[in-house]
């Protein structure tokens, strides 16, 4: 099995397994959900900045299914984000999800002071498979923005409790980012 994906998994024999064999697909799905949950709880040392996610990505911003812009973003070691000026990269991280999707979030400071947050999902199985097949990693999600601190001050204390509502409607800016070929000086 693959190490550093969902954690290192040691297979058990049927004699070691204490769960009864499933009789229906619904029971099998329930068993799988319990197994994955127990694996996640036993693997607290998963990095928020895995090596296979680090690298350059081509990011396509889309509204109503049409590409409105293409840029290059480099997700660097330790959560660093590199983008072309006048934008400024802030932070990124990968959080494991409760199912087969992990959440990749990165933030960029625009030239007008707004913080754009890109929050996308990556299929864990596709990410693991990409290690062997060398296919590019693809992350899809939505873009939200935070107001500048001065604007947030007039919103009141409740603003900070729900600062980044994700509202995925047809006119929401969505994105698709695809990992591009790594360069020799990547991450430096």
């Amino acid at each position: 099995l693959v190490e550093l994906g969902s954690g290192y998994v040691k297979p058990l024999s049927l004699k070691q397994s204490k769960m009864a064999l499933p009789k229906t697909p619904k029971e099998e799905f329930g068993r799988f959900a319990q197994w994955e949950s127990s694996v996640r709880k036993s693997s607290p040392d998963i990095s928020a900045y895995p090596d296979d996610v680090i690298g350059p990505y081509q990011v396509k911003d889309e509204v109503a299914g049409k590409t409105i812009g293409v840029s290059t973003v480099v997700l660097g070691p330790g959560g660093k984000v590199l983008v072309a000026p006048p934008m400024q990269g802030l932070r990124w991280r990968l959080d494991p999800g409760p199912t087969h999707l992990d959440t990749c979030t990165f933030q960029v400071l625009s030239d007008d002071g707004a913080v754009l947050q890109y929050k996308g999902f990556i299929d864990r199985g596709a990410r693991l498979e990409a290690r062997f097949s060398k296919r590019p990693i693809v992350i899809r999600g939505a873009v939200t923005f935070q107001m500048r601190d001065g604007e947030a001050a007039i919103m009141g204390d409740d603003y900070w409790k729900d600062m980044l509502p994700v509202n995925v409607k047809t006119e929401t800016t969505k994105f698709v980012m695809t990992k591009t070929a790594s360069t020799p000086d990547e991450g430096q």
Side-chain angles (χ1 to χ4, degrees):
L1 294 178
V2 179
E3 188 175 355
L4 297 175
S6 295
Y8 184 73
V9 180
K10 183 177 177 183
L12 299 174
S13 71
L14 288 176
K15 292 178 184 176
Q16 294 172 311
S17 176
K18 296 185 178 166
M19 299 177 115
L21 292 176
K23 294 178 178 67
T24 66
K26 186 176 181 180
E27 286 181 16
E28 177 62 25
F29 183 70
R31 265 180 46 140
F32 177 76
Q34 288 176 339
W35 170 80
E36 186 172 24
S37 177
S38 69
V39 168
R40 294 211 167 275
K41 289 177 184 172
S42 66
S43 302
D45 59 342
I46 296 173
S47 172
Y49 316 108
D51 291 339
D52 62 335
V53 178
I54 291 172
Y57 289 82
Q58 180 187 54
V59 180
K60 293 181 181 179
D61 292 308
E62 301 175 345
V63 173
K66 296 181 180 159
T67 301
I68 60 168
V70 178
S71 60
T72 299
V73 173
V74 178
L75 303 180
K80 293 180 183 176
V81 177
L82 302 173
V83 293
M87 305 285 265
Q88 180 182 352
L90 298 176
R91 302 284 298 157
W92 77 274
R93 67 176 290 119
L94 185 78
D95 296 304
T99 62
H100 68 287
L101 296 176
D102 293 332
T103 305
C104 182
T105 307
F106 70 94
Q107 294 180 325
V108 176
L109 180 65
S110 70
D111 54 351
D112 67 354
V115 175
L116 302 173
Q117 177 167 289
Y118 288 73
K119 186 173 201 170
F121 302 97
I122 178 173
D123 183 281
R124 187 174 307 118
R127 189 176 130 219
L128 293 173
E129 190 266 336
R131 294 178 187 171
F132 306 104
S133 69
K134 304 301 181 201
R135 290 184 187 153
I137 292 174
V138 177
I139 302 171
R140 298 174 190 275
V143 184
T144 57
F145 73 96
Q146 296 175 303
M147 289 181 262
R148 292 172 281 210
D149 289 340
E151 294 173 6
I154 62 173
M155 299 298 288
D157 292 335
D158 289 341
Y159 172 75
W160 295 106
K161 292 180 184 170
D162 192 26
M163 194 158 91
L164 292 174
V166 176
N167 188 4
V168 183
K169 294 183 180 176
T170 52
E171 298 305 315
T172 300
T173 303
K174 298 179 183 177
F175 73 93
V176 177
M177 57 191 282
T178 305
K179 191 169 186 183
T180 57
S182 301
T183 59
D185 59 343
E186 177 182 299
Q188 293 183 20

